[in-house]
Amino acid sequence: MNSTEISEPGLRVERVGPLATIQDLGRPGWFDSGVGTAGAADRASLRLANRLVGNPEGAAGIEVLLGGLELLARRHVTVAVTGASAPVTVDDRPMGPASVLEMEEGQRLRMGYAATGLRTYVAVRGGIEVAPVLGSRSRDTLSGIGPEPLRSGDLLPVGKPPRSWPIVDVAPVPVLGNDLLTVRAVPGPRADWFADAAALFAGEWSVSSDTDRIGARLDRRSGPDLRRSVKGELPTEGMALGSVQVPPSGQPVVFLADHPITGGYPVIAVVVDADVDTVAQARPGQPLRFRRIE
């Protein structure tokens, strides 16, 4: 991100942990050009953060993987932090989760590492106004479209504050845990490619270490293996957000925000839209089970 192209930056990035990217609610409408939607992996948390600071729900914020972010205010800004419960301080004063924070010029927001959950979201009143690409400010990690991941020294422009104003100091939100997750899914278009598609819904899975914004790969924790009954290759077909694709290894992959728009492995099920955010917050090793719905 080139600071010479930024006018009136409101925040300076002092430190970044494993990964921090700019995300909004994505860039729909470009599938015919080979471009996916991308956007926040946990859309509900970004929407909440934006509502807390009075922004439209789709305003761009910062998605932080695990934690480790430090921001310096270059002028007065209003921010909110939601999602994974990483500890947050402003000038070393602890702040509660999902609370509205007023920062004056020179103050520092420091984020520790989340004990539960995977992604934390920072919204600033007015939104992060980096240059949009194809109508969105989201970083797509699969295609490389959108603003580069944040680095120390980046200056972040903040937009004009909206007319609406936050009406709460803190939002009551459930604390993300490491307990068994139950994820609802409907049978997929290629469920008949498996000897027993119901095996997906039997027993438990766990999130593998091979998980990112593209998808979460699952390991079998208990229950029967997934076995294909149809041999041969599947012609490439479209892939939706939440598709549960099964490669030859038998380890299903739940597609997340930066998923490819086409694929050649059978889709055994599709996670309901409301539960995709839940999968996006699941940490490696966390147990998960699927519940079938029609």
Side-chain angles (χ1 to χ4, degrees):
M1 195 174 299
N2 188 342
S3 61
T4 62
E5 299 175 358
I6 295 174
S7 60
E8 300 184 4
L11 294 167
R12 175 186 166 93
V13 179
E14 298 290 284
R15 184 168 60 93
V16 176
L19 180 68
T21 57
I22 304 297
Q23 300 291 341
D24 53 24
L25 293 180
R27 51 178 64 83
W30 293 95
F31 275 17
D32 58 349
S33 299
V35 178
T37 302
D42 179 356
R43 297 156 295 172
S45 290
L46 177 64
R47 288 186 175 111
L48 174 60
N50 275 320
R51 291 199 302 272
L52 286 173
V53 296
N55 287 342
E57 290 187 345
I62 304 173
E63 180 181 278
V64 185
L65 180 65
L66 291 175
L69 182 71
E70 181 178 333
L71 300 172
L72 172 69
R74 293 172 59 90
R75 57 180 173 84
H76 176 267
V77 290
T78 303
V79 301
V81 182
T82 59
S85 54
V88 172
T89 63
V90 173
D91 282 358
D92 299 324
R93 290 183 293 108
M95 299 295 165
S99 56
V100 178
L101 313 176
E102 303 290 345
M103 295 176 61
E104 302 300 332
E105 180 179 354
Q107 289 192 305
R108 295 173 184 268
L109 182 151
R110 294 184 176 93
M111 183 184 298
Y113 287 88
T116 59
L118 201 59
R119 296 176 170 93
T120 303
Y121 293 84
V122 180
V124 56
R125 182 169 169 78
I128 303 296
E129 287 216 332
V130 296
V133 178
L134 300 180
S136 170
R137 296 181 168 92
S138 287
R139 174 66 176 184
D140 186 331
T141 60
L142 179 63
S143 67
I145 293 175
E148 293 293 325
L150 298 184
R151 298 174 298 178
S152 298
D154 281 347
L155 299 177
L156 303 181
V158 175
K160 182 179 179 181
R163 292 183 178 180
S164 58
W165 192 256
I167 59 174
V168 297
D169 295 324
V170 62
V173 293
V175 177
L176 297 169
N178 290 323
D179 299 331
L180 174 67
L181 297 176
T182 298
V183 176
R184 296 167 294 173
V186 298
R190 300 300 177 184
D192 57 354
W193 276 54
F194 296 86
D196 182 12
L200 179 75
F201 302 92
E204 296 178 4
W205 303 87
S206 63
V207 179
S208 82
S209 58
D210 186 10
T211 181
D212 54 21
R213 283 182 46 86
I214 297 170
R217 189 178 301 276
L218 306 179
D219 295 325
R220 176 54 92 178
R221 186 181 176 96
S222 65
D225 293 333
L226 291 175
R227 293 182 295 104
R228 279 176 53 168
S229 58
V230 177
K231 306 300 181 181
E233 297 299 321
L234 178 70
T236 297
E237 55 189 6
M239 292 290 146
L241 180 69
S243 294
V244 184
Q245 189 187 66
V246 184
S249 67
Q251 293 176 279
V253 179
V254 181
F255 278 156
L256 300 177
D258 291 350
H259 68 88
I261 64 174
T262 61
Y265 296 133
V267 173
I268 191 172
V270 180
V271 174
V272 301
D273 189 72
D275 288 357
V276 172
D277 293 343
T278 300
V279 179
Q281 288 289 6
R283 297 169 74 103
Q286 188 156 11
L288 179 151
R289 68 183 172 197
F290 290 99
R291 179 162 67 87
R292 175 174 174 152
I293 63 173
E294 298 299 333

